[in-house]
Coordinates of all heavy atoms in Angstrom, one line a residue:
F1 N 2.3 -16.7 16.7 CA 1.6 -15.6 17.4 C 2.4 -15.1 18.6 O 2.2 -14.0 19.0 CB 0.2 -16.0 17.7 CG -0.7 -16.1 16.6 CD1 -0.9 -17.3 15.9 CD2 -1.4 -14.9 16.1 CE1 -1.7 -17.4 14.8 CE2 -2.2 -15.0 15.0 CZ -2.3 -16.2 14.3
W2 N 3.2 -16.0 19.2 CA 4.0 -15.5 20.3 C 5.1 -14.5 19.7 O 5.4 -13.5 20.4 CB 4.8 -16.6 20.9 CG 3.9 -17.5 21.8 CD1 2.7 -17.3 22.1 CD2 4.3 -18.8 22.4 NE1 2.1 -18.3 22.9 CE2 3.1 -19.2 23.0 CE3 5.5 -19.6 22.3 CZ2 3.1 -20.4 23.7 CZ3 5.4 -20.7 23.0 CH2 4.3 -21.2 23.7
R3 N 5.6 -14.8 18.5 CA 6.6 -13.8 17.9 C 5.9 -12.6 17.3 O 6.5 -11.5 17.3 CB 7.4 -14.6 16.9 CG 8.5 -13.8 16.3 CD 9.6 -14.8 15.7 NE 9.0 -15.6 14.7 CZ 8.9 -15.4 13.4 NH1 9.4 -14.2 12.9 NH2 8.4 -16.3 12.5
L4 N 4.7 -12.8 16.8 CA 3.9 -11.8 16.1 C 3.6 -10.6 17.1 O 3.7 -9.4 16.8 CB 2.7 -12.3 15.5 CG 1.8 -11.3 14.7 CD1 2.6 -10.8 13.5 CD2 0.6 -12.1 14.2
K5 N 3.1 -10.9 18.2 CA 2.8 -10.1 19.3 C 1.6 -9.1 19.1 O 0.7 -9.0 20.0 CB 4.0 -9.2 19.6 CG 5.1 -10.0 20.3 CD 6.3 -9.1 20.7 CE 7.4 -9.9 21.3 NZ 8.5 -9.1 21.6
E6 N 1.5 -8.4 17.9 CA 0.4 -7.5 17.7 C 0.0 -7.4 16.3 O 0.9 -7.7 15.4 CB 0.8 -6.1 18.3 CG 1.9 -5.5 17.6 CD 2.2 -4.0 18.1 OE1 1.7 -3.7 19.2 OE2 3.0 -3.3 17.5
I7 N -1.2 -7.0 15.9 CA -1.6 -6.7 14.6 C -2.2 -5.3 14.6 O -3.2 -5.1 15.5 CB -2.6 -7.7 14.0 CG1 -2.0 -9.1 14.0 CG2 -3.0 -7.3 12.7 CD1 -2.9 -10.2 13.6
T8 N -1.8 -4.4 13.8 CA -2.3 -3.0 13.9 C -3.1 -2.7 12.6 O -3.0 -3.3 11.6 CB -1.2 -2.0 14.0 OG1 -0.3 -2.1 12.8 CG2 -0.4 -2.2 15.3
F9 N -4.1 -1.7 12.7 CA -4.9 -1.3 11.7 C -4.9 0.2 11.5 O -4.7 0.9 12.4 CB -6.4 -1.7 12.0 CG -6.5 -3.2 12.2 CD1 -6.5 -3.7 13.5 CD2 -6.6 -4.1 11.2 CE1 -6.6 -5.1 13.8 CE2 -6.8 -5.5 11.4 CZ -6.7 -6.0 12.7
E10 N -5.1 0.7 10.3 CA -5.1 2.0 10.0 C -6.2 2.3 8.9 O -6.7 1.4 8.2 CB -3.8 2.5 9.4 CG -2.6 2.3 10.3 CD -1.3 2.6 9.6 OE1 -1.3 3.2 8.5 OE2 -0.3 2.2 10.2
K11 N -6.7 3.6 8.9 CA -7.6 4.1 7.9 C -6.8 4.5 6.6 O -5.8 5.2 6.7 CB -8.4 5.2 8.4 CG -9.5 5.7 7.5 CD -10.3 6.8 8.2 CE -11.4 7.3 7.3 NZ -12.2 8.4 8.0
P12 N -7.2 4.2 5.4 CA -6.5 4.6 4.2 C -6.6 6.1 4.0 O -7.7 6.8 4.3 CB -7.2 3.9 3.1 CG -8.6 3.5 3.6 CD -8.3 3.3 5.0
D13 N -5.6 6.7 3.5 CA -5.5 8.2 3.3 C -6.0 8.5 1.8 O -5.2 8.3 0.9 CB -4.0 8.6 3.5 CG -3.9 10.1 3.3 OD1 -4.9 10.8 2.8 OD2 -2.8 10.7 3.5
L14 N -7.2 8.8 1.7 CA -7.8 8.9 0.3 C -7.3 10.3 -0.2 O -7.4 10.4 -1.6 CB -9.3 9.0 0.4 CG -9.9 7.7 0.9 CD1 -11.5 7.7 0.9 CD2 -9.4 6.5 0.2
E15 N -6.8 11.2 0.5 CA -6.2 12.4 -0.1 C -4.9 12.2 -0.8 O -4.6 12.7 -1.8 CB -6.1 13.5 1.0 CG -5.5 14.8 0.5 CD -6.3 15.5 -0.6 OE1 -7.6 15.4 -0.5 OE2 -5.8 16.1 -1.5
T16 N -4.1 11.4 -0.2 CA -2.8 11.0 -0.7 C -2.9 10.0 -1.8 O -2.4 10.1 -2.9 CB -1.8 10.5 0.3 OG1 -1.6 11.5 1.3 CG2 -0.5 10.1 -0.3
F17 N -3.8 9.0 -1.6 CA -3.9 7.9 -2.5 C -5.3 8.0 -3.2 O -6.2 7.3 -2.9 CB -3.8 6.5 -1.8 CG -2.5 6.3 -1.2 CD1 -2.3 6.6 0.2 CD2 -1.3 5.9 -1.9 CE1 -1.0 6.4 0.8 CE2 -0.1 5.8 -1.3 CZ 0.0 6.1 0.1
Q18 N -5.3 9.0 -4.1 CA -6.6 9.4 -4.8 C -7.1 8.3 -5.7 O -8.3 8.3 -6.0 CB -6.3 10.7 -5.5 CG -6.0 11.9 -4.5 CD -5.8 13.2 -5.3 OE1 -6.0 13.3 -6.5 NE2 -5.5 14.3 -4.5
G19 N -6.2 7.4 -6.2 CA -6.7 6.3 -7.0 C -7.8 5.5 -6.4 O -8.6 5.0 -7.1
L20 N -7.7 5.3 -5.0 CA -8.7 4.5 -4.3 C -10.0 5.1 -4.2 O -11.0 4.5 -4.5 CB -8.1 4.2 -2.9 CG -9.1 3.4 -2.0 CD1 -9.4 2.0 -2.6 CD2 -8.4 3.1 -0.6
K21 N -10.0 6.5 -4.0 CA -11.3 7.1 -4.0 C -11.9 7.2 -5.4 O -13.1 7.0 -5.5 CB -11.1 8.6 -3.6 CG -12.4 9.4 -3.5 CD -12.2 10.9 -3.1 CE -13.5 11.6 -3.1 NZ -14.3 11.5 -4.4
L22 N -11.1 7.3 -6.4 CA -11.7 7.2 -7.9 C -12.3 5.8 -8.1 O -13.2 5.7 -8.9 CB -10.5 7.6 -8.8 CG -10.0 9.0 -8.8 CD1 -8.8 9.0 -9.7 CD2 -11.1 9.9 -9.4
A23 N -11.8 4.8 -7.5 CA -12.4 3.5 -7.7 C -13.8 3.4 -7.1 O -14.7 2.8 -7.8 CB -11.5 2.4 -7.0
F24 N -14.1 4.0 -6.0 CA -15.4 4.0 -5.5 C -16.4 4.9 -6.4 O -17.5 4.6 -6.6 CB -15.4 4.6 -4.0 CG -15.0 3.5 -3.0 CD1 -13.7 3.3 -2.7 CD2 -16.0 2.7 -2.4 CE1 -13.3 2.4 -1.7 CE2 -15.6 1.7 -1.6 CZ -14.3 1.5 -1.2
D25 N -15.7 6.0 -7.0 CA -16.5 6.8 -7.9 C -16.9 6.0 -9.1 O -18.0 6.0 -9.6 CB -15.7 8.0 -8.3 CG -15.5 9.0 -7.1 OD1 -16.3 8.9 -6.1 OD2 -14.5 9.8 -7.3
A26 N -15.9 5.2 -9.6 CA -16.2 4.4 -10.8 C -17.3 3.3 -10.5 O -18.1 3.1 -11.4 CB -14.9 3.8 -11.3
A27 N -17.1 2.7 -9.3 CA -18.1 1.6 -9.0 C -19.5 2.2 -8.9 O -20.5 1.6 -9.3 CB -17.7 1.0 -7.7
A28 N -19.6 3.4 -8.3 CA -20.9 4.1 -8.2 C -21.5 4.5 -9.5 O -22.7 4.3 -9.8 CB -20.7 5.4 -7.4
A29 N -20.7 4.8 -10.5 CA -21.2 5.2 -11.8 C -21.6 3.9 -12.6 O -22.5 3.9 -13.4 CB -20.1 6.0 -12.6

C-alpha cells in the first residue's frame, strides 16, 4: 500500500459500452 498510493473509481460509460446496458435489460426481462 505504500507503493500503491491511491485507488481510483469511475462510472461506466453505457453509451460507449452498450453491451453492459443490454445486460440490465436482459436481466429485467
